[in-house]
Amino acid sequence: MNIREIDASLMKRAFLAGAHGLEAKKEWINELNVFPVPDGDTGTNMTMTIMAAAREVAALENPTMETLSRAISSGSLRGARGNSGVILSQLFRGFTKEIKTKEVVTVSVLADAFVRGTETAYKAVMKPKEGTILTVARGMAEKAVEMASKTEDVEEFAREVILYGDFVLGQTPEMLPVLKQAGVVDSGGQGLMQVMKGALDGLLGKEVSEEDADDIFGKSEGGAAAVRSGFGPDAADLDTADIRFGYCTEFIINVEKQYDENIEREFKAYLESIGDSLVVVSDEDVVKVHVHTNDPGLAIQRALSYGSLSRMKIDNMREEHQERLIQNAEKLAREQKEAERSEDKAAAGKEQAKENGTSASGTETKNPRKPYGFIAVSVGEGMGEIFKGIGADYLIEGGQTMNPSTEDMLNAIDQVNADQVFILPNNKNIILAAEQAKYLVEDKEIIVVPSKTVPQGITALINFIPELSAEDNLSTMMEEMERIKTGQITYAVRSTQIDGMEIHQGDIMGLGDQGMLAVGSSIERTAIETLKAMVDEESELISIYYGSDVKAEEAQRVFEKAQKACPGCEVELHNGGQPIYYYLMSVE
């Protein structure tokens, strides 16, 4: 078969077949998780991301390249779950930007789309890591450019690109030692290859039947949702503890004059010459700028040469930094206030979905708008009550076993009627989805606190000080989170070897922030060994949260043994009610 052009109908068929190819292998991809924990969910996250787009694509009866691109980009962007899902959505976002204005897609257009998709995905990740889905995507993009100069046949082009993608995937264990140690390739890269292979099947006529499409994608009413503007990386990750430049300056440039890649490079170089903590992200005719500088006027003056400005914000960080001198006193006062109203908070939380927030359509609710609010990702009744008790306005149910989507984040943000909304992902695999949601919200300032564990999220929320600015609060929260060590006790779903430890299926594992801490056959003994590995001479407080599969008397025994094993620390025991993990433990 010689295919030289792909029209919108054929592209739709290829995309749906790619989604089917990923869905069919999702459990196998889940099993490629480096750590043999029962929540390896890369395959599930990527599948749910692409299926959110597939439902919108399947609803298009007579697609054009523009409507198809909008459905793929919007659906995957809002449905993105987990790091792998967010990166997949960004690959689609860049790819569709390149094809949406075309009547038909040729090999040359495909090559450009591969490159743009890869560039978009890399920009969305603050610290890209090689040996992951990004590396596989970049390898295929490079091969695509090479093949575009050699052939006009889409089938030949696609087969060679996929062949090279498989080669790069096979090299990922050499780039990430942890993959080599576990004897697996990168799961996100494998998921991307399943999409590619399924899409090729669709191009060659092995399309998903209408019945299969209904079963897999579900029947959808209406067309694709409109795409809301997004900007990519999150400026919230920037470190402002060391204030060399005094003014945090943010604005959006509405581009009205020439602004290409060369001009952007010159603009970035200029901003770097007058400041630091720089983020410049372009999205078609809009440019998002964040810079710390001692002269905001210089940054603004240069930006005005490219177009008009909006959403300008300048904060004097040195002035706000002085408030930290009385942080301890403020913290004590706040904690006392929180304790007094914790009962009311918990009760109000049950009614939040009905009464809190301002909807995307602008519908007012019963509660007045307030300066700030908090969203926490949590699972387990006990954990939920803890977060409500310390001030969380809205809980998103999820975590290790079910990563919330960007859409879930947006729905939660709608329910919190506040000018500034802090999101606590409490899982490293949820942070990117929260950051993606941040740039889809226009009527509120969203601050993503990069909490990687539930104990980090609890610590961050406890250390919030109402009188401080959002940026200072973020800095304080992150500083306090760094003091927390987290341990998690669960079971192994397969045999492997990690961090020099031999692990057999069914073993009990103690995982720390940096890797495996203990392995054994006893939950109780492994929990204590994990704690011993976490505690040092500076440790003062141990918090133990027991899960839904642990009886209260069993948890009490672990509590008492922890007191004996760590006599220099205060030990607290809480009913977390979390699934999968017998115990979550923190040391500070």
Side-chain angles (χ1 to χ4, degrees), residues 108-258:
S108 177
V109 173
L110 283 174
D112 291 341
F114 271 82
V115 171
R116 189 164 185 178
T118 301
E119 290 175 347
T120 302
Y122 265 91
K123 287 180 181 178
V125 180
M126 291 300 294
K127 295 180 180 179
K129 183 181 293 186
E130 297 305 330
T132 66
I133 181 176
L134 290 170
T135 308
V136 177
R138 189 179 65 190
M140 287 195 288
E142 291 170 352
K143 189 66 175 180
V145 172
E146 176 190 330
M147 290 303 301
S149 65
K150 295 181 177 180
T151 183
E152 295 181 355
D153 182 10
V154 172
E155 181 182 354
E156 181 184 358
F157 167 90
R159 289 193 185 281
E160 290 298 321
V161 169
I162 289 172
L163 188 64
Y164 191 72
D166 275 337
F167 169 75
V168 176
L169 177 65
Q171 298 302 305
T172 56
E174 303 302 322
M175 304 177 202
L176 282 178
V178 68
L179 295 175
K180 189 171 186 178
Q181 190 178 36
V184 296
V185 296
D186 178 68
S187 54
Q190 185 68 73
L192 179 60
M193 294 313 302
Q194 294 308 127
V195 174
M196 291 293 299
K197 293 170 184 178
L200 177 57
D201 284 344
L203 286 175
L204 300 180
K206 302 175 184 177
E207 63 181 303
V208 180
S209 69
E210 291 298 324
E211 291 181 2
D212 287 341
D214 283 345
D215 291 339
I216 296 169
F217 311 128
K219 294 183 178 180
S220 172
E221 295 181 4
V227 181
R228 298 165 73 180
S229 298
F231 293 110
D234 185 5
D237 279 344
L238 299 172
D239 182 8
T240 60
D242 182 12
I243 303 178
R244 179 184 171 197
F245 296 96
Y247 296 94
C248 175
T249 306
E250 292 183 280
F251 50 82
I252 290 176
I253 305 173
N254 303 300
V255 178
E256 297 167 355
K257 300 178 183 178
Q258 183 180 0

Side-chain angles (χ1 to χ4, degrees), residues 58-78:
L60 298 174
E61 293 184 2
N62 298 299
T64 63
M65 208 66 77
E66 183 178 0
T67 60
L68 180 64
S69 296
R70 187 182 301 122
I72 293 172
S73 180
S74 173
S76 62
L77 190 72
R78 298 172 72 88

Side-chain angles (χ1 to χ4, degrees), residues 233 259 264 267-268 271 278-282 287-290:
Y259 187 88
E264 180 171 297
F267 183 39
K268 287 182 178 179
L271 294 177
L278 176 64
V279 175
V280 177
V281 184
S282 304
V287 181
K288 169 87 171 182
V289 178
H290 173 286

